[in-house]
Amino acid sequence: MVSMKVSILCFLLTTGFALVTLASAPVEEENPEFWRAQAQTTLKTSLSRKLNTNVAKNVMLFLGDGMGITTITAARILKGQLQNQLGEETVMTMDTFPHVGLVKVYTVDFQIPDSAATATAYLCGVKTNLNVVGMSAAAKNGVCRTEKGNEVTSILQWAKDAGKSVGIVTTTRVQHATPAGAYAHSCSRKWYSDADMPAAAKRDGCRDIAAQLINNTDIDVIIGGGRKYMTPKGTADPEYPADASANGNRQDQRNLIEEWISQKKGKVAHYVWNKDDFDRVDPENTDYLMALFEPVDMRFEVERDPLMDPSIIETTEKAIRILQKNPKGFFLLVEGGRIDQGHHASRASMALHEAVALDNAVARALEMTKEDETLTVVTADHSHSLSFNGYPFRGNSILGKSPLFGLDMLPYTTLMYGNGPGHKITNNKRPDIRNVDTKSKDYVQQAAVPLDSETHGGEDVAVLARGPMAHLFQGVNEQSYLAHAMAYAACMGDNQQHCASTTTPTNNNAARARSSAPISPFISALPVLLGALLSLLLY
């Protein structure tokens, strides 16, 4: 009886909503020629595409932390709907990249990874264990004595060794797992400062990640959060002086910000913590920039105070302007790190707005660089338990509800989680969300399994690429392959074969132009001369 009622209800809902939806759907899409013409345009573009085999002067890696394929799809729809479109037909900037592949994200010891092990894979080219960063799998999680001799270097270091400028931009703390993979070697990603380390680790000589940030590699641009890990315990935060939790927490009483400034004597180096000072930094006259806008992680995009903190678009632009002055090029890592944190809280709205912001930063970066000399890669470290379900009609809000109810006669959202804080069962029933605004930034999506924090997912993630040697990013590969492919494209690290085969970076159009250039008069007359000579000999 219940299932019959549900079926009737579903039919009525489906019929009613369909009439409304069809009325607003693009009329041209009803014509088969619309889809045929679109396919032909795409086909012609694909057929005319030539491989770019230049040496990459610059490499830009955009990392969406937790940005699995479901997140990319949902963010695409949200981006369109924020522009008053239906959403599904939207083309994100990353969607335009011509080469796409899949990446396997498991770690040496776990089926589903964390952000430290994955950062070690795609930045250092080596897979490792969960929670370990910048170390091989011979280093064990939290065991300091396993660090020595098992350190692995990253593509950021390879780029610096090649004479390029290097930078890190993140929306998390600059000591977090993803950026740490570029410069740190630690058997625990959680050792942000010495205050986070056990006494045994300090005694055995291990160093915290913040200290490694200023000592391991000479990084030209460092932008994100993480002020509290850089200053002595009790140091009042400049933005939140009354908040004890924002105070510096270093037990060794070192002020790493002052140490960083003193290291740069003879260079133009700026440390800033607010947007006004950030905006005043002139890229043309700046050698080094450290910008730390929050004590820990930066604010979510939808909660960001634009008067205090710049957007990821602005931070990416500033970084590129500083780095691109180097005639040898640059390597830049840009992390949309709070995509992951939005998912962990099961706040899909937060996560998707972060993904849209990252895509906008990609667009700005492409405007500022040249495709023939800049390899741009967009990928994720892992996914989440996010699902996209429920037969929503075309144009339905990606943060809205499915028109179909469950067997419990209650609605559910299009986006849900396999586990997380959204699992709430009262009297054996799910919450009734008919009068709940599920589009709110604070709404917590329902989940199947109760957890304080939603978990990562373990399926393959996408890698998208454009620019020199972008065709290397195709097929299904180990995550550790990415670092080697990027390095090969830019002639960084141990593999210099690309430099040996390509002496100067030239784009394919120029090469084709040279191959079709006018032939010298002597060469063009050669067949005639040979013919005349042969006639004389035969005669």
Side-chain angles (χ1 to χ4, degrees):
M1 186 68 177
V2 172
S3 49
M4 182 181 294
K5 289 181 179 178
V6 171
S7 298
I8 293 171
L9 179 61
C10 289
F11 173 78
L12 292 174
L13 285 169
T14 303
T15 304
F17 276 101
L19 290 173
V20 174
T21 305
L22 286 173
S24 60
V27 176
E28 63 269 18
E29 292 186 9
E30 298 178 6
N31 185 345
E33 288 306 313
F34 171 85
W35 302 105
R36 291 170 182 152
Q38 185 184 85
Q40 288 299 314
T41 299
T42 304
L43 183 61
K44 289 176 182 176
T45 299
S46 297
L47 290 171
S48 64
R49 186 175 296 132
K50 305 297 181 183
L51 296 184
N52 182 343
T53 58
N54 295 348
V55 172
K57 176 182 177 182
N58 312 310
V59 177
M60 300 189 297
L61 173 59
F62 288 84
L63 190 287
D65 197 317
M67 191 178 67
I69 293 176
T70 304
T71 299
I72 291 176
T73 303
R76 177 189 303 127
I77 295 172
L78 176 63
K79 186 169 187 176
Q81 292 179 344
L82 290 173
Q83 299 167 354
N84 296 317
Q85 301 170 1
L86 292 176
E88 296 83 1
E89 74 293 340
T90 304
V91 178
M92 295 217 292
T93 299
M94 66 180 77
D95 292 339
T96 66
F97 284 30
H99 299 282
V100 183
L102 292 175
V103 176
K104 297 186 284 185
V105 300
Y106 66 92
T107 71
V108 170
D109 57 346
F110 274 77
Q111 201 170 63
I112 295 178
D114 80 308
S115 296
T118 51
T120 305
Y122 62 76
L123 290 171
C124 303
V126 174
K127 287 211 170 193
T128 191
N129 298 318
L130 205 75
N131 293 326
V132 172
V133 62
M135 311 288 296
S136 73
K140 306 306 177 185
N141 180 18
V143 184
C144 175
R145 66 177 181 273
T146 64
E147 279 192 11
K148 189 173 182 180
N150 294 319
E151 300 90 346
V152 291
T153 57
S154 79
I155 189 171
L156 181 136
Q157 181 64 60
W158 307 341
K160 196 67 180 184
D161 292 343
K164 298 181 184 295
S165 295
V166 297
I168 294 171
V169 171
T170 181
T171 54
T172 65
R173 66 203 86 171
V174 295
Q175 305 86 358
H176 212 250
T178 297
Y183 61 82
H185 312 290
S186 179
C187 62
S188 176
R189 58 173 287 183
K190 298 179 182 178
W191 293 349
Y192 303 120
S193 82
D194 65 332
D196 302 309
M197 299 177 67
K202 297 178 189 177
R203 185 178 60 248
D204 291 342
C206 285
R207 297 180 300 152
D208 64 274
I209 293 171
Q212 294 186 56
L213 171 64
I214 69 165
N215 290 317
N216 284 7
T217 303
D218 186 27
I219 305 173
D220 302 273
V221 174
I222 302 167
I223 303 177
R227 289 193 296 254
K228 67 181 292 182
Y229 307 110
M230 306 292 283
T231 55
K233 185 176 180 179
T235 303
D237 186 81
E239 188 174 359
Y240 312 106
D243 183 357
S245 67
N247 289 350
N249 73 349
R250 295 198 66 83
Q251 295 177 345
D252 59 10
Q253 297 303 302
R254 293 173 64 186
N255 188 317
L256 300 182
I257 295 170
E258 291 180 355
E259 288 184 25
W260 179 83
I261 293 172
S262 67
Q263 291 172 0
K264 312 304 178 188
K265 288 180 179 177
K267 299 289 185 178
V268 180
H270 298 288
Y271 166 72
V272 300
W273 61 268
N274 60 72
K275 190 173 185 298
D276 284 344
D277 289 343
F278 177 78
D279 289 343
R280 281 193 285 269
V281 172
D282 180 6
E284 295 302 317
N285 298 311
T286 299
D287 300 314
Y288 292 93
L289 172 64
M290 178 186 286
L292 304 179
F293 297 106
E294 290 291 333
V296 188
D297 300 319
M298 293 182 68
R299 295 184 179 277
F300 282 107
E301 177 62 22
V302 296
E303 297 178 336
R304 178 177 61 85
D305 181 354
L307 298 179
M308 288 301 297
D309 300 328
S311 68
I312 191 172
I313 301 173
E314 294 171 292
T315 54
T316 298
E317 177 175 343
K318 184 81 77 173
I320 292 174
R321 291 199 183 282
I322 293 172
L323 299 175
Q324 67 185 2
K325 300 195 305 290
N326 188 336
K328 292 186 177 181
F330 65 85
F331 171 81
L332 175 63
L333 168 64
V334 179
E335 182 200 19
R338 303 221 68 186
I339 301 170
D340 175 74
Q341 294 174 353
H343 281 318
H344 279 308
S346 293
R347 296 163 72 184
S349 175
M350 290 294 204
L352 297 188
H353 278 87
E354 292 294 307
V356 171
L358 179 66
D359 191 64
N360 291 335
V362 173
R364 185 69 190 105
L366 297 186
E367 292 171 355
M368 298 177 65
T369 54
K370 298 177 182 178
E371 184 175 0
D372 66 322
E373 66 178 19
T374 304
L375 172 63
T376 306
V377 178
V378 178
T379 190
D381 47 359
H382 53 73
S383 68
H384 278 264
S385 69
L386 181 70
S387 67
F388 182 10
N389 68 112
Y391 300 110
F393 294 109
R394 176 77 179 275
N396 193 58
S397 170
I398 191 62
L399 298 171
K401 304 157 192 170
S402 169
L404 306 184
F405 283 22
L407 291 176
D408 56 3
M409 301 297 293
L410 294 172
Y412 56 93
T413 50
T414 300
L415 298 176
M416 303 176 71
Y417 290 93
N419 57 57
H423 178 90
K424 295 178 176 66
I425 301 295
T426 304
N427 296 326
N428 205 33
K429 292 196 72 173
R430 295 184 299 118
D432 185 350
I433 59 171
R434 278 176 290 187
N435 296 318
V436 174
D437 179 13
T438 61
K439 302 174 189 177
S440 164
K441 68 181 178 63
D442 297 316
Y443 178 72
V444 177
Q445 259 74 14
Q446 293 179 6
V449 176
L451 287 176
D452 289 335
S453 178
E454 179 267 354
T455 71
H456 296 169
E459 73 272 19
D460 298 350
V461 297
V463 56
L464 308 98
R466 60 168 261 171
M469 305 305 290
H471 56 282
L472 296 178
F473 301 87
Q474 59 185 0
V476 181
N477 293 291
E478 296 286 359
Q479 195 166 40
S480 50
Y481 166 76
L482 300 186
H484 299 283
M486 289 186 288
Y488 179 88
C491 295
M492 299 185 297
D494 295 332
N495 191 338
Q496 297 288 315
Q497 292 179 12
H498 189 201
C499 280
S501 61
T502 309
T503 54
T504 56
T506 57
N507 66 37
N508 289 299
N509 290 332
R512 288 194 297 275
R514 286 196 301 273
S515 67
S516 60
I519 303 172
S520 71
F522 174 77
I523 294 176
S524 61
L526 193 56
V528 178
L529 293 173
L530 290 174
L533 180 59
L534 184 60
S535 298
L536 289 171
L537 290 172
L538 291 175
Y539 180 78

